[in-house]
Every structure is written in structure tokens, then in C-alpha cells.
Amino acid sequence: MWPRRHGQPDAPERWLVLDVESSGLDASSDRLLAIAAVALRVDARRASIELADSFEAVLRQPEDRSAPDRSNILVHGIGVGAQGRGLDPAQALQRFEAFAGESPLLGYHVAFDKQLIDRATQAQLGRRLRNPWLDIADIAAVLRPGVAARTLDDWLAACGIRCARRHQAAADALATAELLLHLLPAARTDGMIGFRDLARLAARRRWLS
């Protein structure tokens, strides 16, 4: 394991690309079902995905006497049985908190993921993660302005990236990490190396919007 935060300019940084699955599309009320993340090692020379440094958990859901949302289950594939066999939510979130450490958290349209995780950690742990968050959608729009892409599927297709199984948290996190690796060379051309550089780049897009 490399240092999790940078102390020297050339020290490698650890970024986490994450994805979640939920019981629906409303982050303000639906439940967090699963969370997955994979680490990137980023330094002044290169960036790489570290598959050995990854996380995946399905959160056990409360028993619900109402009929399950079968259309939602068909999307993410986490059936009623799998939801019932998941980890205790507090335990799963504590493990993710420990895994994340102080590393930045990145994802595509990550505001949805953040709201779900914030609600879950607040409810289960009495606190929210303090990590910085960054939306890869903002980064992509600035670095590749000529690409007519809006969704993650659009960007994966535009960059020739295959996802093993869409709407499965671990597979989506890995495909999103591959997308970020595809984008980073353009940022390095402009002298942007670290997470703070990338955050300023994303802020530029939000300001222009």
C-alpha cells in the first residue's frame, strides 16, 4: 500500500472511483443497496488501477412486507435473497469508511452516490464521510468538449470501454475508473497532475455551466 495522502509533490496519491446501487432513482428517499470502489494510484508520471485495492459490499435490507420492486431488481440484479444476506448496514459502512481513509472519492454523476452514502452513514453511524468528492462527468466535459456524450454509457461508447455488467456496482466502478484513465492524459498535457488540479478543472466546468 502506498501513502494515502500526499506529503511531497511527487508522492503518489490514492483516489477511489466508486459506484452504488439503490432501491430506486430518488436519492433523497430510496435505500442504498450496494457500494463498490476501486483505487487508482496517481503520481507525476502515470496513473493506474489497483485491483487489489478494492471494496464491494451489499447492505442487508430490512424486511419489507410490501411487494419488491421487480423492475428495479432486474436493473441491478440484487434480488430479495441477496439483499437479505447482505452485511449489516452499519458494519458495511464502517468497513467502507475505513477502506476509504482520507482518499478522494470520484464517480460519474457522483452527487447521487454521495447523497445516498451521506444519508446511510448519517443514519447508521451518526456522521458523514469527510472525504472530498469529484464528479468525473465535469472532468470529461472539460477535457473532451467535442464529445457529444451525456450519460456514462455515452462516454464508455465514445472511449471504446466495455463494462462487464452495467448496473452492477463493482463493474460500473471499474469501467468508470477506466474512463478516468482515458481522460487523464489530456489533463497532464495541461500540467494537471494531482487531485487538487483536477478539482479546479471540474470547478471550471461548473462555473461555465
Side-chain angles (χ1 to χ4, degrees):
M1 182 71 68
W2 59 89
R4 294 200 169 195
R5 293 296 289 171
H6 40 272
Q8 302 172 356
D10 294 332
E13 297 182 359
R14 178 182 187 256
W15 304 353
L16 297 180
V17 178
L18 61 78
D19 190 76
V20 304
E21 300 302 334
S22 64
S23 62
L25 299 177
D26 187 347
S28 66
S29 60
D30 286 316
R31 300 189 305 273
L32 177 65
L33 299 182
I35 182 169
V38 62
L40 267 64
R41 175 190 176 107
V42 184
D43 60 30
R45 294 171 297 280
R46 62 190 295 268
S48 60
I49 295 172
E50 301 291 321
L51 291 177
D53 190 10
S54 59
F55 178 93
E56 183 178 14
V58 173
L59 281 66
R60 185 168 66 240
Q61 301 300 307
E63 293 186 8
D64 190 343
R65 295 184 181 182
S66 62
D69 185 345
R70 297 190 182 280
S71 61
N72 181 257
I73 289 174
L74 286 174
V75 172
H76 52 64
I78 307 173
V80 175
Q83 294 180 29
R85 294 190 300 270
L87 284 175
D88 173 77
Q91 183 183 34
L93 292 166
Q94 284 175 337
R95 289 184 181 181
F96 179 70
E97 183 181 50
F99 169 78
E102 298 180 357
S103 299
L105 305 176
L106 301 92
Y108 193 88
H109 287 162
V110 80
F112 180 85
D113 308 63
K114 182 179 186 302
Q115 188 171 357
L116 277 170
I117 292 172
D118 279 349
R119 284 181 51 235
T121 54
Q122 186 65 51
Q124 297 293 332
L125 307 179
R127 58 185 179 273
R128 298 181 179 185
L129 300 181
R130 299 173 64 96
N131 307 60
W133 293 76
L134 195 56
D135 196 336
I136 294 173
D138 290 332
I139 299 164
V142 174
L143 292 177
R144 299 285 298 277
V147 177
R150 295 178 60 85
T151 67
L152 177 59
D153 287 313
D154 291 340
W155 277 106
L156 295 181
C159 298
I161 297 169
R162 294 186 60 186
C163 181
R165 181 183 169 189
R166 281 291 281 121
H167 304 296
Q168 196 271 345
D172 282 347
L174 180 58
T176 306
E178 291 176 5
L179 172 61
L180 182 57
L181 288 187
H182 188 90
L183 297 168
L184 283 179
R188 289 171 181 272
T189 299
D190 292 337
M192 300 178 187
I193 296 172
F195 178 78
R196 291 189 180 91
D197 296 323
L198 217 58
R200 285 193 289 269
L201 186 73
R204 185 193 309 171
R205 193 259 177 150
R206 291 192 297 272
W207 180 80
L208 290 173
S209 297

